[in-house]
Amino acid sequence: MSISTDISGSSNVGGANQLLDLLSLVSNPAVYKNKIDALEAATAENKKFVALVGPADSIVKMRESIALELADVKSTAAEAKKKSAETVVEAKVQAADMLSDAQAKANALKAEAQALVDEAKADTAATKAALSAAKKAKADADAISADFAVRSQTLASTQAEVEAIKAEIKAAKEEILAKHQEFLASL
């Protein structure tokens, strides 16, 4: 329904019909009242849409904020995954180096022990010193093995933390999707 600009319903606003408008108002105030009612109804309808713009704006801002937080969480998870992978590689390299060093030490100690065994026939005291050195090498190898076990446990713990972060990300994503669905359903 369009709203005319004068009481007679026409859009002539030039001022020529002002006397006729006044006479029309005096003779038929119901027409004027209908025009005023139509104007008030249109104004009330437009106010509803203006009131909805505010909440929609805050929802859009909230959605953008959630999207930024989700991107930050994904970035953090990617960094954690990368760091975990790097830690695994470093642990493997260190373990290989330690094992290689231990094997080299063990081989060296074995050769030394063999030489000492050959000399032991002549010198019993030298044999006891070599046995002591072999015990120390074994203790070093045990310490290296214990360190390797601790690093393996740390790696497993890191992997568990990564899995927990993945689960949190999935839960956050599901929660966001559920809130989004609720929002869409409320529209």
Side-chain angles (χ1 to χ4, degrees), residues 47-86:
K47 282 183 181 180
K48 289 179 191 175
F49 292 115
V50 169
L52 289 176
V53 168
D57 185 42
S58 65
I59 290 170
V60 167
K61 287 179 183 176
M62 187 187 331
R63 186 182 296 158
E64 290 171 353
S65 173
I66 289 170
L68 289 175
E69 288 175 14
L70 181 59
D72 188 38
V73 167
K74 285 181 180 179
S75 173
T76 303
E79 288 175 17
K81 186 175 182 181
K82 180 182 175 188
K83 185 167 183 154
S84 174
E86 290 172 356

Side-chain angles (χ1 to χ4, degrees), residues 172-184:
K173 179 181 176 183
E174 289 173 1
E175 181 180 336
I176 290 168
L177 288 174
K179 286 182 180 178
H180 185 67
Q181 290 298 329
E182 287 178 16
F183 169 71
L184 290 177

Side-chain angles (χ1 to χ4, degrees), residues 73-149:
V73 167
K74 285 181 180 179
S75 173
T76 303
E79 288 175 17
K81 186 175 182 181
K82 180 182 175 188
K83 185 167 183 154
S84 174
E86 290 172 356
T87 302
V88 168
V89 168
E90 287 176 11
K92 285 181 179 180
V93 167
Q94 287 179 353
D97 288 346
M98 285 186 222
L99 189 59
S100 176
D101 288 347
Q103 186 64 43
K105 284 181 182 179
N107 289 340
L109 289 173
K110 185 177 178 183
E112 187 179 316
Q114 186 61 43
L116 289 175
V117 167
D118 292 342
E119 285 182 30
K121 294 178 184 175
D123 192 0
T124 307
T127 303
K128 288 181 181 180
L131 182 58
S132 177
K135 286 181 181 179
K136 183 183 178 304
K138 183 174 180 341
D140 288 347
D142 290 344
I144 289 170
S145 293
D147 184 53
F148 179 74

